[in-house]
Amino acid sequence: MSKAERVLVVDYGGQYTHLISRRCRELGVYAEIIPEESALVRQDLSGVKGIIFSGGPRSIDESDLDQDFESDMKHIREYGIHVLGICFGHQLLAVWKGAKLSAGGNPEYGETKLQVLDDESILQDLNDGQSVWMSHSDEVVEIPDGLEPLALSGDSRIAAFKDEENKVFGVQFHPEVAHTPNGRSVLERFLRNQCGYVGHWTPEDEVSHILNAIQREVGMGRVLMGTSGGVDSTVAACLIKKAIGDRLYCVFVDNGLLRAGERREVERAFEEMDFKHFVVIDASRRFISRLKGIEDPEEKRETIADTFIEVFEEKAKQLESEFGAFEFLGQGTIYPDRVESAATGKGTSVIKSHHNVRLPTWMTLKPVEPLKNLYKDEVREVGAILEIPDYLVSRQPFPGPSLAIRIGGSVTEEQVDILRKADSILQHELQDHAIYASIWQSFCVLLPVRSVGVMGDERTYEQAAVIRIVESSDAMTASVARPEWDLLLGIASRIVNEVDGINRVVYDITSKPPGTIEWY
Ligand code: XMP
């Protein structure tokens, strides 16, 4: 397949638009998301055999079907391109051909059974009353001659149609989400059987595509980057280094709140990966003194973020005076970070701001975000292709504010030290155990709550540690892991025996929601 072969995904602000492009990539077809405002009529569509119109949160209005839309559709037809509309896209294409739309009234949400009328086209593998995932309130109610209904849902509602003349398909349901069990086959049949994509796009192609993009973006410029040793910033740094070589300058800030041995491990890894400019700053004292007396978790976060920026800025200025100005700031932002901060386009709602996306105000550097379109598992795949050591690629996520948000109450050097020791025991015990590969995060939390205990003949009155082990695929939801009882008992016993300051250990059995993964 030539690199020019690609599918375009027109984004109408749908929650799942990005998943559509991901599914196409998984099917071996390179996908590009373009905003709905992009005038297709002015685009060079060579290499495009299919276009997918995404879902979206709003209702169709007159401006959606104006002269510009007509011109776009004419342009698409001239190129002989096939079109698939999903949800809002389905409604748009049907109404364009004269179908009637019923606004609001009769929503379908969640799992819905499908009755397939024509099982020879893209719905071939959904032919026996299978479930699909719906999420709409407007619906196409009457379709004119020329449009053929392909499937019904519920009370004879039009769930899919075909417009043979214009090479157009519409599906009201979402084939891109995992809740539509055979949804992948709908996209596959559209891409392969209808559009004729051969489909040899591979993760290796993705890597060279990203490398080319970095080279185009950065030119002969220089990139400054904060690296934490986490998966995202490490993979992003490796890509940037591969693209522009030693014009990348990495800064690692030791905030004094890291896990046992972490700084040395990261330092050694970057040295082994041959990073010429990898600067480590020990700012432990500054962070700990700024955190003194702060108990509120959000205030801790803010203080740590501000201190980080301060330390990073000082180093940046020093590096600039030594090597000359930087034009770019490398960042390990991945796609879900952008969803959370609503940086993906209009129509998505703000869930929470994410530290990766917020640039410090003083920085006029242009962001370089090589992973911005990828999901965590894809980032790990890229990491493996780049031959980044497995212990870095498979690391558990670790929050920017580090151990500070795992300590209840005031953060002092002594408290960090106690937590670090307990956490290190937990990690070592788990790493030796099969469960480690299947969990999302495992850590200890230090509770400034004292309770009475007895050790030997002595009465103790010390703090408690919480063990938290969760399973998740994206941190948006999480379930509690169920390690063997004996494993937990062994860890608890080691913590109480080996860590001064802790005399009680509890296991957190709260899922997310209603809990969050971190305690503070
Ligand atoms: P919560 O606690 O919100 O955590 O369920 C979800 C995921 O985000 C991580 N996390 C953070 N990461 N800065 C970060 O960089 C933060 O302030 C922060 N708070 C939570 C958490 O470790 C989990 O993976």
PDB file of all heavy atoms in Angstrom, residues 177-208:
ATOM      1  N   VAL A 177     -17.019   1.421  18.763  1.00  0.00           N
ATOM      2  CA  VAL A 177     -16.838   1.190  20.203  1.00  0.00           C
ATOM      3  C   VAL A 177     -16.833  -0.306  20.522  1.00  0.00           C
ATOM      4  O   VAL A 177     -17.447  -1.108  19.814  1.00  0.00           O
ATOM      5  CB  VAL A 177     -17.928   1.901  21.061  1.00  0.00           C
ATOM      6  CG1 VAL A 177     -17.983   3.389  20.761  1.00  0.00           C
ATOM      7  CG2 VAL A 177     -19.301   1.284  20.869  1.00  0.00           C
ATOM      8  N   ALA A 178     -16.180  -0.651  21.612  1.00  0.00           N
ATOM      9  CA  ALA A 178     -16.059  -2.066  21.982  1.00  0.00           C
ATOM     10  C   ALA A 178     -17.419  -2.675  22.324  1.00  0.00           C
ATOM     11  O   ALA A 178     -17.610  -3.885  22.218  1.00  0.00           O
ATOM     12  CB  ALA A 178     -15.118  -2.201  23.173  1.00  0.00           C
ATOM     13  N   HIS A 179     -18.385  -1.810  22.708  1.00  0.00           N
ATOM     14  CA  HIS A 179     -19.716  -2.330  23.067  1.00  0.00           C
ATOM     15  C   HIS A 179     -20.500  -2.826  21.862  1.00  0.00           C
ATOM     16  O   HIS A 179     -21.567  -3.415  22.017  1.00  0.00           O
ATOM     17  CB  HIS A 179     -20.535  -1.260  23.775  1.00  0.00           C
ATOM     18  CG  HIS A 179     -19.905  -0.764  25.038  1.00  0.00           C
ATOM     19  ND1 HIS A 179     -19.598  -1.581  26.083  1.00  0.00           N
ATOM     20  CD2 HIS A 179     -19.510   0.465  25.409  1.00  0.00           C
ATOM     21  CE1 HIS A 179     -19.053  -0.875  27.051  1.00  0.00           C
ATOM     22  NE2 HIS A 179     -18.969   0.366  26.656  1.00  0.00           N
ATOM     23  N   THR A 180     -20.041  -2.550  20.650  1.00  0.00           N
ATOM     24  CA  THR A 180     -20.645  -3.170  19.465  1.00  0.00           C
ATOM     25  C   THR A 180     -19.727  -4.338  19.099  1.00  0.00           C
ATOM     26  O   THR A 180     -18.703  -4.151  18.437  1.00  0.00           O
ATOM     27  CB  THR A 180     -20.738  -2.168  18.289  1.00  0.00           C
ATOM     28  OG1 THR A 180     -21.569  -1.089  18.688  1.00  0.00           O
ATOM     29  CG2 THR A 180     -21.336  -2.829  17.057  1.00  0.00           C
ATOM     30  N   PRO A 181     -20.069  -5.552  19.554  1.00  0.00           N
ATOM     31  CA  PRO A 181     -19.099  -6.657  19.474  1.00  0.00           C
ATOM     32  C   PRO A 181     -18.545  -6.906  18.072  1.00  0.00           C
ATOM     33  O   PRO A 181     -17.366  -7.186  17.911  1.00  0.00           O
ATOM     34  CB  PRO A 181     -19.899  -7.864  19.978  1.00  0.00           C
ATOM     35  CG  PRO A 181     -21.014  -7.298  20.776  1.00  0.00           C
ATOM     36  CD  PRO A 181     -21.339  -5.958  20.179  1.00  0.00           C
ATOM     37  N   ASN A 182     -19.393  -6.785  17.052  1.00  0.00           N
ATOM     38  CA  ASN A 182     -18.879  -7.030  15.708  1.00  0.00           C
ATOM     39  C   ASN A 182     -18.671  -5.748  14.906  1.00  0.00           C
ATOM     40  O   ASN A 182     -18.643  -5.770  13.672  1.00  0.00           O
ATOM     41  CB  ASN A 182     -19.817  -7.974  14.961  1.00  0.00           C
ATOM     42  CG  ASN A 182     -19.246  -9.381  14.947  1.00  0.00           C
ATOM     43  OD1 ASN A 182     -18.024  -9.544  14.955  1.00  0.00           O
ATOM     44  ND2 ASN A 182     -20.104 -10.369  14.943  1.00  0.00           N
ATOM     45  N   GLY A 183     -18.543  -4.637  15.632  1.00  0.00           N
ATOM     46  CA  GLY A 183     -18.428  -3.340  14.966  1.00  0.00           C
ATOM     47  C   GLY A 183     -17.207  -3.254  14.067  1.00  0.00           C
ATOM     48  O   GLY A 183     -17.232  -2.645  13.001  1.00  0.00           O
ATOM     49  N   ARG A 184     -16.152  -3.894  14.508  1.00  0.00           N
ATOM     50  CA  ARG A 184     -14.908  -3.861  13.733  1.00  0.00           C
ATOM     51  C   ARG A 184     -15.139  -4.380  12.313  1.00  0.00           C
ATOM     52  O   ARG A 184     -14.593  -3.860  11.349  1.00  0.00           O
ATOM     53  CB  ARG A 184     -13.887  -4.723  14.473  1.00  0.00           C
ATOM     54  CG  ARG A 184     -12.502  -4.727  13.888  1.00  0.00           C
ATOM     55  CD  ARG A 184     -11.701  -5.791  14.635  1.00  0.00           C
ATOM     56  NE  ARG A 184     -10.506  -6.119  13.889  1.00  0.00           N
ATOM     57  CZ  ARG A 184      -9.321  -5.603  14.139  1.00  0.00           C
ATOM     58  NH1 ARG A 184      -9.182  -4.769  15.129  1.00  0.00           N
ATOM     59  NH2 ARG A 184      -8.274  -5.947  13.419  1.00  0.00           N
ATOM     60  N   SER A 185     -15.997  -5.425  12.198  1.00  0.00           N
ATOM     61  CA  SER A 185     -16.221  -6.018  10.883  1.00  0.00           C
ATOM     62  C   SER A 185     -16.985  -5.055   9.970  1.00  0.00           C
ATOM     63  O   SER A 185     -16.833  -5.082   8.751  1.00  0.00           O
ATOM     64  CB  SER A 185     -16.981  -7.347  11.007  1.00  0.00           C
ATOM     65  OG  SER A 185     -18.358  -7.092  11.133  1.00  0.00           O
ATOM     66  N   VAL A 186     -17.823  -4.173  10.565  1.00  0.00           N
ATOM     67  CA  VAL A 186     -18.548  -3.188   9.749  1.00  0.00           C
ATOM     68  C   VAL A 186     -17.531  -2.245   9.102  1.00  0.00           C
ATOM     69  O   VAL A 186     -17.567  -1.972   7.898  1.00  0.00           O
ATOM     70  CB  VAL A 186     -19.546  -2.386  10.621  1.00  0.00           C
ATOM     71  CG1 VAL A 186     -20.232  -1.299   9.805  1.00  0.00           C
ATOM     72  CG2 VAL A 186     -20.560  -3.320  11.267  1.00  0.00           C
ATOM     73  N   LEU A 187     -16.586  -1.795   9.920  1.00  0.00           N
ATOM     74  CA  LEU A 187     -15.559  -0.890   9.388  1.00  0.00           C
ATOM     75  C   LEU A 187     -14.667  -1.620   8.389  1.00  0.00           C
ATOM     76  O   LEU A 187     -14.303  -1.089   7.344  1.00  0.00           O
ATOM     77  CB  LEU A 187     -14.720  -0.318  10.536  1.00  0.00           C
ATOM     78  CG  LEU A 187     -15.475   0.623  11.481  1.00  0.00           C
ATOM     79  CD1 LEU A 187     -14.629   0.983  12.690  1.00  0.00           C
ATOM     80  CD2 LEU A 187     -15.896   1.890  10.743  1.00  0.00           C
ATOM     81  N   GLU A 188     -14.356  -2.871   8.704  1.00  0.00           N
ATOM     82  CA  GLU A 188     -13.486  -3.640   7.819  1.00  0.00           C
ATOM     83  C   GLU A 188     -14.152  -3.854   6.451  1.00  0.00           C
ATOM     84  O   GLU A 188     -13.532  -3.660   5.411  1.00  0.00           O
ATOM     85  CB  GLU A 188     -13.144  -4.987   8.453  1.00  0.00           C
ATOM     86  CG  GLU A 188     -12.163  -5.769   7.602  1.00  0.00           C
ATOM     87  CD  GLU A 188     -11.550  -6.934   8.360  1.00  0.00           C
ATOM     88  OE1 GLU A 188     -12.140  -7.373   9.366  1.00  0.00           O
ATOM     89  OE2 GLU A 188     -10.477  -7.394   7.912  1.00  0.00           O
ATOM     90  N   ARG A 189     -15.438  -4.216   6.475  1.00  0.00           N
ATOM     91  CA  ARG A 189     -16.133  -4.446   5.195  1.00  0.00           C
ATOM     92  C   ARG A 189     -16.266  -3.142   4.423  1.00  0.00           C
ATOM     93  O   ARG A 189     -16.183  -3.131   3.195  1.00  0.00           O
ATOM     94  CB  ARG A 189     -17.497  -5.087   5.429  1.00  0.00           C
ATOM     95  CG  ARG A 189     -17.358  -6.485   5.965  1.00  0.00           C
ATOM     96  CD  ARG A 189     -18.561  -7.347   5.744  1.00  0.00           C
ATOM     97  NE  ARG A 189     -18.284  -8.664   6.296  1.00  0.00           N
ATOM     98  CZ  ARG A 189     -17.637  -9.611   5.645  1.00  0.00           C
ATOM     99  NH1 ARG A 189     -17.212  -9.408   4.405  1.00  0.00           N
ATOM    100  NH2 ARG A 189     -17.404 -10.777   6.215  1.00  0.00           N
ATOM    101  N   PHE A 190     -16.480  -2.039   5.139  1.00  0.00           N
ATOM    102  CA  PHE A 190     -16.552  -0.752   4.447  1.00  0.00           C
ATOM    103  C   PHE A 190     -15.195  -0.440   3.800  1.00  0.00           C
ATOM    104  O   PHE A 190     -15.113  -0.129   2.607  1.00  0.00           O
ATOM    105  CB  PHE A 190     -16.958   0.368   5.417  1.00  0.00           C
ATOM    106  CG  PHE A 190     -16.881   1.730   4.802  1.00  0.00           C
ATOM    107  CD1 PHE A 190     -17.796   2.133   3.825  1.00  0.00           C
ATOM    108  CD2 PHE A 190     -15.871   2.619   5.156  1.00  0.00           C
ATOM    109  CE1 PHE A 190     -17.710   3.390   3.223  1.00  0.00           C
ATOM    110  CE2 PHE A 190     -15.772   3.874   4.561  1.00  0.00           C
ATOM    111  CZ  PHE A 190     -16.703   4.251   3.592  1.00  0.00           C
ATOM    112  N   LEU A 191     -14.130  -0.566   4.598  1.00  0.00           N
ATOM    113  CA  LEU A 191     -12.804  -0.177   4.091  1.00  0.00           C
ATOM    114  C   LEU A 191     -12.313  -1.111   2.987  1.00  0.00           C
ATOM    115  O   LEU A 191     -11.809  -0.670   1.960  1.00  0.00           O
ATOM    116  CB  LEU A 191     -11.789  -0.148   5.241  1.00  0.00           C
ATOM    117  CG  LEU A 191     -12.021   0.911   6.322  1.00  0.00           C
ATOM    118  CD1 LEU A 191     -11.067   0.715   7.491  1.00  0.00           C
ATOM    119  CD2 LEU A 191     -11.852   2.318   5.742  1.00  0.00           C
ATOM    120  N   ARG A 192     -12.454  -2.416   3.213  1.00  0.00           N
ATOM    121  CA  ARG A 192     -11.882  -3.373   2.247  1.00  0.00           C
ATOM    122  C   ARG A 192     -12.825  -3.647   1.075  1.00  0.00           C
ATOM    123  O   ARG A 192     -12.458  -3.458  -0.076  1.00  0.00           O
ATOM    124  CB  ARG A 192     -11.576  -4.697   2.936  1.00  0.00           C
ATOM    125  CG  ARG A 192     -10.517  -4.575   3.984  1.00  0.00           C
ATOM    126  CD  ARG A 192      -9.573  -5.772   3.945  1.00  0.00           C
ATOM    127  NE  ARG A 192      -8.791  -5.808   5.165  1.00  0.00           N
ATOM    128  CZ  ARG A 192      -7.827  -4.946   5.467  1.00  0.00           C
ATOM    129  NH1 ARG A 192      -7.517  -3.978   4.635  1.00  0.00           N
ATOM    130  NH2 ARG A 192      -7.172  -5.049   6.605  1.00  0.00           N
ATOM    131  N   ASN A 193     -14.068  -4.092   1.396  1.00  0.00           N
ATOM    132  CA  ASN A 193     -14.964  -4.527   0.312  1.00  0.00           C
ATOM    133  C   ASN A 193     -15.526  -3.364  -0.486  1.00  0.00           C
ATOM    134  O   ASN A 193     -15.647  -3.452  -1.703  1.00  0.00           O
ATOM    135  CB  ASN A 193     -16.137  -5.354   0.853  1.00  0.00           C
ATOM    136  CG  ASN A 193     -15.657  -6.538   1.662  1.00  0.00           C
ATOM    137  OD1 ASN A 193     -14.457  -6.694   1.886  1.00  0.00           O
ATOM    138  ND2 ASN A 193     -16.571  -7.369   2.119  1.00  0.00           N
ATOM    139  N   GLN A 194     -15.874  -2.281   0.188  1.00  0.00           N
ATOM    140  CA  GLN A 194     -16.475  -1.165  -0.531  1.00  0.00           C
ATOM    141  C   GLN A 194     -15.395  -0.238  -1.091  1.00  0.00           C
ATOM    142  O   GLN A 194     -15.355  -0.001  -2.292  1.00  0.00           O
ATOM    143  CB  GLN A 194     -17.422  -0.372   0.390  1.00  0.00           C
ATOM    144  CG  GLN A 194     -18.513  -1.209   1.035  1.00  0.00           C
ATOM    145  CD  GLN A 194     -19.490  -1.794   0.019  1.00  0.00           C
ATOM    146  OE1 GLN A 194     -19.807  -1.160  -0.986  1.00  0.00           O
ATOM    147  NE2 GLN A 194     -19.960  -3.012   0.258  1.00  0.00           N
ATOM    148  N   CYS A 195     -14.551   0.268  -0.225  1.00  0.00           N
ATOM    149  CA  CYS A 195     -13.555   1.256  -0.681  1.00  0.00           C
ATOM    150  C   CYS A 195     -12.406   0.594  -1.455  1.00  0.00           C
ATOM    151  O   CYS A 195     -11.788   1.213  -2.307  1.00  0.00           O
ATOM    152  CB  CYS A 195     -12.957   2.007   0.498  1.00  0.00           C
ATOM    153  SG  CYS A 195     -14.151   2.776   1.572  1.00  0.00           S
ATOM    154  N   GLY A 196     -12.078  -0.629  -1.108  1.00  0.00           N
ATOM    155  CA  GLY A 196     -10.988  -1.317  -1.796  1.00  0.00           C
ATOM    156  C   GLY A 196      -9.608  -1.044  -1.224  1.00  0.00           C
ATOM    157  O   GLY A 196      -8.589  -1.173  -1.923  1.00  0.00           O
ATOM    158  N   TYR A 197      -9.534  -0.672   0.046  1.00  0.00           N
ATOM    159  CA  TYR A 197      -8.210  -0.506   0.655  1.00  0.00           C
ATOM    160  C   TYR A 197      -7.532  -1.867   0.762  1.00  0.00           C
ATOM    161  O   TYR A 197      -8.171  -2.872   1.086  1.00  0.00           O
ATOM    162  CB  TYR A 197      -8.332   0.071   2.072  1.00  0.00           C
ATOM    163  CG  TYR A 197      -8.662   1.545   2.108  1.00  0.00           C
ATOM    164  CD1 TYR A 197      -9.951   1.971   2.429  1.00  0.00           C
ATOM    165  CD2 TYR A 197      -7.701   2.505   1.810  1.00  0.00           C
ATOM    166  CE1 TYR A 197     -10.257   3.327   2.473  1.00  0.00           C
ATOM    167  CE2 TYR A 197      -8.012   3.853   1.844  1.00  0.00           C
ATOM    168  CZ  TYR A 197      -9.286   4.257   2.174  1.00  0.00           C
ATOM    169  OH  TYR A 197      -9.586   5.591   2.210  1.00  0.00           O
ATOM    170  N   VAL A 198      -6.241  -1.859   0.498  1.00  0.00           N
ATOM    171  CA  VAL A 198      -5.485  -3.102   0.635  1.00  0.00           C
ATOM    172  C   VAL A 198      -5.103  -3.275   2.110  1.00  0.00           C
ATOM    173  O   VAL A 198      -5.278  -4.324   2.696  1.00  0.00           O
ATOM    174  CB  VAL A 198      -4.227  -3.073  -0.254  1.00  0.00           C
ATOM    175  CG1 VAL A 198      -3.493  -4.394  -0.178  1.00  0.00           C
ATOM    176  CG2 VAL A 198      -4.600  -2.737  -1.681  1.00  0.00           C
ATOM    177  N   GLY A 199      -4.616  -2.190   2.703  1.00  0.00           N
ATOM    178  CA  GLY A 199      -4.411  -2.171   4.137  1.00  0.00           C
ATOM    179  C   GLY A 199      -3.155  -2.843   4.637  1.00  0.00           C
ATOM    180  O   GLY A 199      -3.190  -3.944   5.158  1.00  0.00           O
ATOM    181  N   HIS A 200      -2.025  -2.173   4.484  1.00  0.00           N
ATOM    182  CA  HIS A 200      -0.788  -2.717   5.043  1.00  0.00           C
ATOM    183  C   HIS A 200      -0.138  -1.732   6.008  1.00  0.00           C
ATOM    184  O   HIS A 200       1.042  -1.783   6.264  1.00  0.00           O
ATOM    185  CB  HIS A 200       0.213  -3.045   3.940  1.00  0.00           C
ATOM    186  CG  HIS A 200      -0.242  -4.154   3.068  1.00  0.00           C
ATOM    187  ND1 HIS A 200      -0.704  -5.335   3.564  1.00  0.00           N
ATOM    188  CD2 HIS A 200      -0.306  -4.243   1.726  1.00  0.00           C
ATOM    189  CE1 HIS A 200      -1.041  -6.131   2.550  1.00  0.00           C
ATOM    190  NE2 HIS A 200      -0.815  -5.482   1.435  1.00  0.00           N
ATOM    191  N   TRP A 201      -0.912  -0.760   6.462  1.00  0.00           N
ATOM    192  CA  TRP A 201      -0.365   0.224   7.401  1.00  0.00           C
ATOM    193  C   TRP A 201      -0.019  -0.490   8.697  1.00  0.00           C
ATOM    194  O   TRP A 201      -0.830  -1.190   9.275  1.00  0.00           O
ATOM    195  CB  TRP A 201      -1.396   1.315   7.645  1.00  0.00           C
ATOM    196  CG  TRP A 201      -0.957   2.365   8.611  1.00  0.00           C
ATOM    197  CD1 TRP A 201      -1.283   2.441   9.928  1.00  0.00           C
ATOM    198  CD2 TRP A 201      -0.124   3.484   8.332  1.00  0.00           C
ATOM    199  NE1 TRP A 201      -0.699   3.537  10.493  1.00  0.00           N
ATOM    200  CE2 TRP A 201       0.024   4.206   9.540  1.00  0.00           C
ATOM    201  CE3 TRP A 201       0.531   3.955   7.187  1.00  0.00           C
ATOM    202  CZ2 TRP A 201       0.783   5.363   9.632  1.00  0.00           C
ATOM    203  CZ3 TRP A 201       1.276   5.105   7.284  1.00  0.00           C
ATOM    204  CH2 TRP A 201       1.403   5.798   8.483  1.00  0.00           C
ATOM    205  N   THR A 202       1.212  -0.318   9.161  1.00  0.00           N
ATOM    206  CA  THR A 202       1.654  -1.050  10.349  1.00  0.00           C
ATOM    207  C   THR A 202       2.122  -0.070  11.435  1.00  0.00           C
ATOM    208  O   THR A 202       2.369   1.108  11.147  1.00  0.00           O
ATOM    209  CB  THR A 202       2.863  -1.955  10.012  1.00  0.00           C
ATOM    210  OG1 THR A 202       3.929  -1.089   9.606  1.00  0.00           O
ATOM    211  CG2 THR A 202       2.547  -2.947   8.923  1.00  0.00           C
ATOM    212  N   PRO A 203       2.285  -0.552  12.653  1.00  0.00           N
ATOM    213  CA  PRO A 203       2.829   0.332  13.691  1.00  0.00           C
ATOM    214  C   PRO A 203       4.199   0.895  13.299  1.00  0.00           C
ATOM    215  O   PRO A 203       4.548   2.021  13.666  1.00  0.00           O
ATOM    216  CB  PRO A 203       2.938  -0.593  14.910  1.00  0.00           C
ATOM    217  CG  PRO A 203       1.878  -1.613  14.694  1.00  0.00           C
ATOM    218  CD  PRO A 203       1.841  -1.846  13.211  1.00  0.00           C
ATOM    219  N   GLU A 204       4.972   0.128  12.524  1.00  0.00           N
ATOM    220  CA  GLU A 204       6.280   0.643  12.072  1.00  0.00           C
ATOM    221  C   GLU A 204       6.078   1.852  11.146  1.00  0.00           C
ATOM    222  O   GLU A 204       6.832   2.820  11.191  1.00  0.00           O
ATOM    223  CB  GLU A 204       7.087  -0.434  11.331  1.00  0.00           C
ATOM    224  CG  GLU A 204       7.738  -1.471  12.223  1.00  0.00           C
ATOM    225  CD  GLU A 204       6.760  -2.513  12.766  1.00  0.00           C
ATOM    226  OE1 GLU A 204       5.590  -2.546  12.316  1.00  0.00           O
ATOM    227  OE2 GLU A 204       7.157  -3.287  13.657  1.00  0.00           O
ATOM    228  N   ASP A 205       5.035   1.765  10.300  1.00  0.00           N
ATOM    229  CA  ASP A 205       4.711   2.915   9.438  1.00  0.00           C
ATOM    230  C   ASP A 205       4.343   4.119  10.291  1.00  0.00           C
ATOM    231  O   ASP A 205       4.683   5.259   9.978  1.00  0.00           O
ATOM    232  CB  ASP A 205       3.521   2.604   8.519  1.00  0.00           C
ATOM    233  CG  ASP A 205       3.862   1.566   7.476  1.00  0.00           C
ATOM    234  OD1 ASP A 205       5.030   1.520   7.060  1.00  0.00           O
ATOM    235  OD2 ASP A 205       2.963   0.794   7.088  1.00  0.00           O
ATOM    236  N   GLU A 206       3.603   3.829  11.358  1.00  0.00           N
ATOM    237  CA  GLU A 206       3.177   4.904  12.268  1.00  0.00           C
ATOM    238  C   GLU A 206       4.426   5.614  12.821  1.00  0.00           C
ATOM    239  O   GLU A 206       4.485   6.836  12.864  1.00  0.00           O
ATOM    240  CB  GLU A 206       2.363   4.285  13.413  1.00  0.00           C
ATOM    241  CG  GLU A 206       1.750   5.276  14.368  1.00  0.00           C
ATOM    242  CD  GLU A 206       0.555   6.009  13.777  1.00  0.00           C
ATOM    243  OE1 GLU A 206      -0.268   5.370  13.086  1.00  0.00           O
ATOM    244  OE2 GLU A 206       0.450   7.227  13.998  1.00  0.00           O
ATOM    245  N   VAL A 207       5.418   4.805  13.198  1.00  0.00           N
ATOM    246  CA  VAL A 207       6.644   5.394  13.746  1.00  0.00           C
ATOM    247  C   VAL A 207       7.329   6.271  12.693  1.00  0.00           C
ATOM    248  O   VAL A 207       7.699   7.423  12.974  1.00  0.00           O
ATOM    249  CB  VAL A 207       7.609   4.302  14.272  1.00  0.00           C
ATOM    250  CG1 VAL A 207       8.962   4.888  14.628  1.00  0.00           C
ATOM    251  CG2 VAL A 207       7.005   3.607  15.491  1.00  0.00           C
ATOM    252  N   SER A 208       7.458   5.777  11.459  1.00  0.00           N
ATOM    253  CA  SER A 208       8.150   6.636  10.481  1.00  0.00           C
ATOM    254  C   SER A 208       7.327   7.869  10.141  1.00  0.00           C
ATOM    255  O   SER A 208       7.881   8.942   9.894  1.00  0.00           O
ATOM    256  CB  SER A 208       8.590   5.903   9.212  1.00  0.00           C
ATOM    257  OG  SER A 208       7.784   4.853   8.925  1.00  0.00           O
TER     258      SER A 208
END
